Amino acid sequence: MEMDTIYENVEDVKDEGKAQQNRRSCLMLATVILGTICVILLVFVILQHTRAGSNRLGLFFISNNTMSWSESRQFCRDRGADLVIINTEEKQRFISPFVEDFLWIGLTDEEIEGNMKWVDNSPLKQGFWVDGEPNNLNGENCVIIVPVENFLKNWNDVPCTFTFKALCEK
Ligand code: 2F8
Ligand code: CA
């Protein structure tokens, strides 16, 4: 074999090596880009899910029997739920049309008079009280939602020992 041909072959092998290296680099880059996109998508989906979770309306159910506020709460908790927390106007408007009875909701100022708290311990920010309520008449510390036409004024505080049906949210 002549010297020229040997050099040509060596050059070909070098070129092939470079091409292979380039292909590997491209593959690596594509993998990194795809991986990054996957991670971004995953984070996005998780964030969406978390946000949707915190805003979502749950499953609502009402007890057949009437009970005190504490018994109502226990009734809900025994079923993996709790008395409903109504902390947005949207939720208040959603729930109100289904209210056909006096129903306990998860709001009470039993601990400190006038300091209404939800069952998750969060403070009441916006109330949807019947005019004149809450009036703490003879020590009323627990709250019911009542079936009246005005869906933005249908809460009343009543004695916690009175018996009403429970409105639970899971
Ligand atoms: O007049 C408002 C008043 O009406 C009732 O008491 C007479 C309610 N009590 C019950 O529904 C148990 C009060 O909570 C209400 O403030
Ligand atoms: Ca009252």
Side-chain angles (χ1 to χ4, degrees):
M1 203 184 284
E2 287 187 22
M3 215 47 174
D4 279 359
T5 318
I6 291 170
Y7 279 128
E8 256 174 44
N9 283 348
V10 168
E11 284 306 309
D12 282 353
V13 170
K14 272 188 186 165
D15 285 350
E16 181 54 30
K18 273 184 197 157
Q20 221 166 33
Q21 186 65 41
N22 280 345
R23 274 198 295 275
R24 254 188 232 128
S25 302
C26 280
L27 205 64
M28 192 105 87
L29 190 67
T31 309
V32 169
I33 291 172
L34 271 178
T36 310
I37 290 172
C38 284
V39 169
I40 291 171
L41 275 178
L42 194 67
V43 169
F44 180 74
V45 167
I46 289 170
L47 282 179
Q48 284 292 101
H49 193 75
T50 316
R51 230 175 277 151
S54 58
N55 286 333
R56 91 194 202 299
L57 294 178
L59 171 79
F60 301 94
F61 56 96
I62 296 169
S63 62
N64 288 324
N65 300 325
T66 63
M67 291 160 272
S68 70
W69 187 87
S70 305
E71 287 164 346
S72 283
R73 183 156 192 223
Q74 196 54 51
F75 169 89
C76 299
R77 287 165 72 104
D78 287 346
R79 288 156 182 78
D82 207 335
L83 283 172
V84 70
I85 292 173
I86 308 174
N87 49 10
T88 63
E89 185 174 320
E90 183 201 8
K91 201 163 169 183
Q92 169 72 11
R93 285 185 187 277
F94 176 83
I95 288 169
S96 292
F98 297 104
V99 175
E100 293 178 340
D101 257 316
F102 287 13
L103 305 173
W104 288 122
I105 63 172
L107 185 65
T108 175
D109 67 347
E110 187 90 296
E111 266 183 27
I112 304 170
E113 178 50 42
N115 185 13
M116 288 282 175
K117 275 193 172 177
W118 292 107
V119 284
D120 66 356
N121 233 19
S122 59
L124 173 66
K125 288 189 186 136
Q126 185 184 14
F128 300 98
W129 301 102
V130 171
D131 283 338
E133 306 297 342
N135 58 0
N136 191 33
L137 195 73
N138 303 320
E140 297 178 314
N141 293 336
C142 292
V143 181
I144 52 171
I145 188 165
V146 300
V148 292
E149 268 185 23
N150 192 336
F151 291 161
L152 295 182
K153 289 184 179 184
N154 58 5
W155 297 2
N156 178 27
D157 60 340
V158 292
C160 300
T161 52
F162 276 34
T163 60
F164 299 105
K165 291 181 179 178
L167 173 53
C168 311
E169 182 178 7
K170 195 167 185 164

